Amino acid sequence: MIVEVSGLHKAFGSTKVLDGVDLHVAEGTVTALLGPNGAGKTTTIRVLTTLLRPDLGSVRIAGYDVVREATRVRGVISLTGQYVALDDQQTGRENLVMIGRLMHLGRAAARRRAAGLLERFGLVDAMDRRVKTYSGGMRRRLDLAMGLVSQPRVIFLDEPTTGLDPASRTTMWDAVRDLVSSGTTIVLTTQYLEEADRLADRIVLINQGKVTASGTADALKSQVGGSRLDLRFTGAADLARAAALFGVPHGTDPLVLSVPSDGSAAHLHRVLDDLRLADVPVAEVSAHRPTLDDVFLSLTATGRTAIPA
Amino acid sequence: MTTTAVHGGARNAVSDSLTMIGRSVRLGRRNADTLVMSIVLPLLMMSLFVYVFGGAIDTGTRYINYVVPGIILLCTGYGAASTAMSVAHDMTSGMIDRLRSLPIRSSAVLTGHVTASVARNLLSTTVVVGAAVAMGFRPNATITDWMQAAGLLLLYVLALSWLAAGLGVIAKSVESASTLSFLMLFLPYLSSAFVPTDTMPSFLRAVSDNQPITPVIETVRGLLTGTPTGGTGRIALAWCVGLLVCSFTSAAWLYRRRTRR
C-alpha cells in the first residue's frame, strides 16, 4: 500500500472536518475521493501532501510519515491543487524549469524535462509565451505538467476537471490514464460521479469527515441494489392489479410500479407476458440500472446508515 | 521510476534560494505595476518636490541637496509595498501550496522575495541618485561617506523588506497587503524627509524626531552633503538593526504559523 491512512482526525477550532478517515491505496491505481462540498476531501488531500498537520491518526506515503518525514514525502509526491498554481508573468517553460530546479534537477536536466512535458501536453507552440496569455485549458494542462516534473510516485489531483469544458476534461482524463499506465499512483478528488466512474479503480465516498463506503464502481452500485423495471399505467386500477400480480408494493401517484429485475431480456419478456395474460395494459416500460448517483444519494442524503461498507 | 529529490544539505538551501530569487526578480521585472512603482514613481516624486514644492520650501540649502535622501527612503517604501503585495499574492494563490509540497527549504520562498526586493531598491536608488545629479544634486561626499550611506541604506532596505514580507504573510489578500503597507508609505512624510521638522507643531515634531526614518535621513544627508548629523548615525543604526531583527523573526514566525495549521 503506497498510501496508508488510519484514524485521521482534523479539526479547525471546534469544527470537526475529518472524523476518523481510513484510506489504503495500492501502487499504480487510481483512487477517487468522492463526496459533496465540505465533506473533507480537500482537507484529506492537504494532510496527505504535508500541507496540514493531522490532529490524530497516522498517515504514511510510500512508507514515510507525513509529519516526521515531511521532506521525504514531498520528494515522492506532487500536488495539483484545486486552483491553478502558475506564475502568470513567467513563460510556460520558465514555470516548468523553476519546478525542476526546486526538485534539485541540474540546469540541463530541468530544461530537458520541461521540453519533454511541453511536448507531451501540446504546449510547445506556447512555451515561450507568458502564462497570462494562455487559455483556461492550456493553464490546466501546464498545471498538471508542473506536477509531473519530478516524476512523482504518487500524484494528488484536487478536483482536476472542475470548471473545464468537455474537451479539456477528456484531455485531462487521457493524461491521467496515461500516467497510470506508466505505473504512477493517482489520488484525486471529484464531485463528478461520471469522472469517478470512468477513471477510478477504487472509489472512496467521503461524507461528513468519514469514509462511508469504498470499492469499485460496480461493487458500490450493487450495494444499492440491482436493476429494476419501471412500469407505467394509465389507470390506478391497472396499477393495483399489476402490483398484486408481481407482489410488490405500490403508490398511486405517479402511476408507476417498480419491479426488481436481474436486468436480463428474458425477465423483461416474462413480465410483459404475465401482464398480457392477466390483461393488464401497460403504457410504458423502462429498465434502470443503478448509477453512482443512486449510491451517492443513498449514502449522503440519508446520513450514513443506508449501506454497510 | 526515479526519485529526483535530494534532501537537506546547505547546497540545496542555497540553490533553492537562488531559484526563488531568480523567480522573484523575473516576476518583478515583468510586472508593469512594480516597475512603475519602483522606478517611475520615485522620479515623478523627485521632480514634484524639486520643481513644484521645492522653490517654496526653505531648508537653508539648495532644496535638491536637501530632498534626495528623503526621496530615496520614500521609494524604499514603495518598493516594500510591492514586496508585500507579491508575498500576499503567493500566500493567497495556489502557488504557496505548490511550493510547500516541494522538498525545499520553506525559508526559500520569503528569502526570494526579500532579496529581489533589495535588488529592486538598489536599482531604483541608483536611478534616483543618477537623476538627482542630472537635476543639479551636488553631493560633496568622500568614498567612505558614500559607502557608509550605502551601507546604512542597505540595512534599512533589508529591514523594511522583511517587514513587508511579514505584512504580506498576514494579509488576507493582495489588496489588504497594499493597505497594510500604507504606514511605510506615510512615515516619510512625517519626518525630516521633505521639510525640516522644526516648523511642525510640537506633538508632530515629537513623532517625527523619534521615528526611524528621520535619523536615517539625517545621517544619509549628513554623509552626502555634509550637514551636521548631531549623532543620528548611531540612532539610525540601532533603529535599522532593531527593525531588521524584529521584522525578520516575526516574518519567519508568521510564515510558519500561517503555513502550518
Side-chain angles (χ1 to χ4, degrees), chain A residues 15-282:
Chain A
T15 315
K16 266 191 195 170
V17 180
L18 300 180
D19 193 13
V21 167
D22 297 301
L23 183 66
H24 301 276
V25 175
E27 185 143 25
T29 62
V30 182
T31 298
L33 306 182
L34 183 65
N37 285 333
K41 304 186 299 284
T42 296
T43 305
T44 305
I45 294 280
R46 290 178 67 81
V47 172
L48 267 53
T49 52
T50 75
L51 297 182
L52 276 180
R53 249 176 219 278
D55 293 340
L56 209 69
S58 116
V59 180
R60 301 184 83 83
I61 310 286
Y64 301 125
D65 186 280
V66 290
V67 178
R68 287 192 305 277
E69 300 165 293
T71 307
R72 289 192 175 280
V73 171
R74 290 174 191 150
V76 297
I77 63 160
S78 85
L79 166 68
T80 296
Q82 208 161 340
Y83 305 102
V84 170
L86 300 165
D87 281 333
D88 277 355
Q89 299 286 358
Q90 294 201 83
T91 66
R93 198 216 306 247
E94 285 167 343
N95 269 287
L96 289 170
V97 170
M98 173 181 81
I99 299 293
R101 298 291 288 148
L102 292 175
M103 293 304 294
H104 308 134
L105 297 172
R107 201 177 293 275
R111 285 176 167 279
R112 271 199 308 277
R113 191 70 58 79
L117 286 164
L118 289 162
E119 179 86 33
R120 180 166 163 192
F121 286 93
L123 293 167
V124 173
D125 291 342
M127 68 184 180
D128 289 323
R129 267 168 41 202
R130 293 191 198 173
V131 169
K132 65 174 177 182
T133 67
Y134 284 23
S135 70
M138 289 163 78
R139 295 165 72 89
R140 278 286 180 163
R141 294 206 303 274
L142 180 61
D143 199 43
L144 184 61
M146 296 276 274
L148 304 184
V149 171
S150 58
Q151 297 186 323
R153 289 174 65 191
V154 189
I155 296 179
F156 293 92
L157 304 172
D158 194 4
E159 304 202 358
T161 61
T162 298
L164 283 192
D165 61 66
S168 306
R169 180 172 299 173
T170 311
T171 312
M172 187 64 84
W173 288 352
D174 289 343
V176 169
R177 289 199 192 96
D178 227 41
L179 285 168
V180 177
S181 66
S182 63
T184 312
T185 308
I186 294 184
V187 178
L188 59 89
T189 70
T190 182
Q191 305 180 49
Y192 302 122
L193 303 160
E194 187 198 357
E195 183 161 283
D197 207 356
R198 306 238 326 233
L199 272 186
D201 300 303
R202 251 176 107 251
I203 295 172
V204 176
L205 273 164
I206 296 189
N207 194 29
Q208 297 176 1
K210 279 186 175 147
V211 173
T212 52
S214 67
T216 62
D218 285 339
L220 289 176
K221 287 175 195 168
S222 66
Q223 278 184 14
V224 283
S227 304
R228 65 175 204 273
L229 293 174
D230 283 353
L231 311 171
R232 199 164 62 77
F233 299 93
T234 45
D238 293 339
L239 175 69
R241 285 170 62 205
L245 189 66
F246 298 112
V248 289
H250 69 93
T252 51
D253 183 42
L255 297 172
V256 173
L257 188 69
S258 287
V259 180
S261 164
D262 58 5
S264 69
H267 181 252
L268 175 62
H269 271 297
R270 220 164 38 243
V271 167
L272 293 176
D273 283 346
D274 288 351
L275 288 168
R276 191 163 42 83
L277 289 173
D279 206 19
V280 182
V282 59

